[in-house]
Amino acid sequence: MSIKTNALIYFLAFCSGFCIMGIELLGGRILAPYFGSSVHIWGSIITVFMLSLSFGYLLGGKLSTKNASLTKYGLIFLVASIMVVPIALFSQPIMEFIFTHIEDTRYGSLLASTALFFIPTVILGMISPYSVRLLVTDSEKSGQVAGILYFVSTLGSALGTIITSFYFVLAFDVNTIISAFASTLGLLGLLGVLAIVINNIAGNKELAHA
């Protein structure tokens, strides 16, 4: 991988961290009108996100062993983008259905969090291990690469949390923000898929001028 490609991977990992925490934070706003905002509501949301990320890490690590490429990496973002869209489109009817059928808000909020966030967060969780696989070219530096990557990704998560909670929720409604996250992930996916094509074009131009 070239320096430019590595920088792109770090950038995509940063943005994925930003989106993951932004969506998790908005989960509280989505569930609150139906289940409240008590500690067990947040316990349900955090539990679902942690479980789904853990499954995503396993799947991403497994997928990365099979001919890992920047194109497949970009496709993960595209799939995540598609999976995030239903949160904005169907959260209200899903919340209403669960709210009317489950009286205990603890289990209602847990089921609602699972229905809305489990699948998209599993896909988003695949990004980190796949990023490490693309970045590591020397096994002796694998720990250092993983450390830098998780630093960048977690920094993105921190910024996603603070910016979403301090600014986005004050300026936009929840569905607009969710749609923006989905669009961002889609654009990042296209960037990853097209990066190889762009690099090939640039390489051909350099050969032509040589």
Side-chain angles (χ1 to χ4, degrees):
M1 291 286 180
S2 66
I3 294 176
K4 289 182 179 180
T5 302
N6 286 352
L8 174 62
I9 294 170
Y10 282 120
F11 173 72
L12 293 179
F14 172 89
C15 292
S16 73
F18 188 105
C19 292
I20 288 170
M21 286 308 300
I23 293 170
E24 181 175 355
L25 189 65
L26 293 174
R29 295 292 292 268
I30 295 172
L31 268 65
Y34 301 93
F35 303 102
S37 55
S38 61
V39 65
H40 62 259
I41 304 302
W42 279 105
S44 296
I45 294 171
I46 293 171
T47 297
V48 169
F49 269 81
M50 292 298 99
L51 280 175
S52 53
L53 285 173
S54 66
F55 282 112
Y57 296 151
L58 283 175
L59 291 174
K62 182 70 173 179
L63 182 64
S64 70
T65 63
K66 300 178 180 179
N67 298 318
S69 68
L70 196 57
T71 299
K72 292 180 181 178
Y73 185 61
L75 289 174
I76 296 175
F77 281 84
L78 289 173
V79 173
S81 172
I82 295 170
M83 292 297 101
V84 168
V85 171
I87 299 174
L89 295 180
F90 306 118
S91 62
Q92 184 172 347
I94 290 173
M95 294 298 101
E96 290 177 352
F97 178 83
I98 295 174
F99 178 72
T100 56
H101 286 79
I102 300 179
E103 294 183 1
D104 193 323
T105 57
R106 294 174 299 173
Y107 303 110
S109 63
L110 184 61
L111 179 58
S113 299
T114 303
L116 285 179
F117 305 116
F118 185 80
I119 293 177
T121 311
V122 167
I123 304 301
L124 288 167
M126 296 171 65
I127 293 171
S128 290
Y130 208 98
S131 301
V132 173
R133 174 64 183 85
L134 291 176
L135 290 167
V136 172
T137 55
D138 183 348
S139 60
E140 293 184 358
K141 295 182 178 179
S142 59
Q144 180 182 2
V145 170
I148 295 172
L149 178 76
Y150 286 112
F151 166 78
V152 170
S153 177
T154 305
L155 181 61
S157 296
L159 288 176
T161 301
I162 201 76
I163 292 175
T164 301
S165 60
F166 278 28
Y167 302 104
F168 287 171
V169 295
L170 299 179
F172 309 101
D173 64 65
V174 171
N175 285 342
T176 300
I177 304 171
I178 292 291
S179 298
F181 283 140
S183 299
T184 299
L185 290 168
L187 290 173
L188 293 171
L190 288 174
L191 182 61
V193 170
L194 295 175
I196 297 297
V197 177
I198 295 171
N199 286 339
N200 288 338
I201 293 173
N204 290 334
K205 287 183 177 180
E206 289 180 1
L207 289 174
H209 290 293

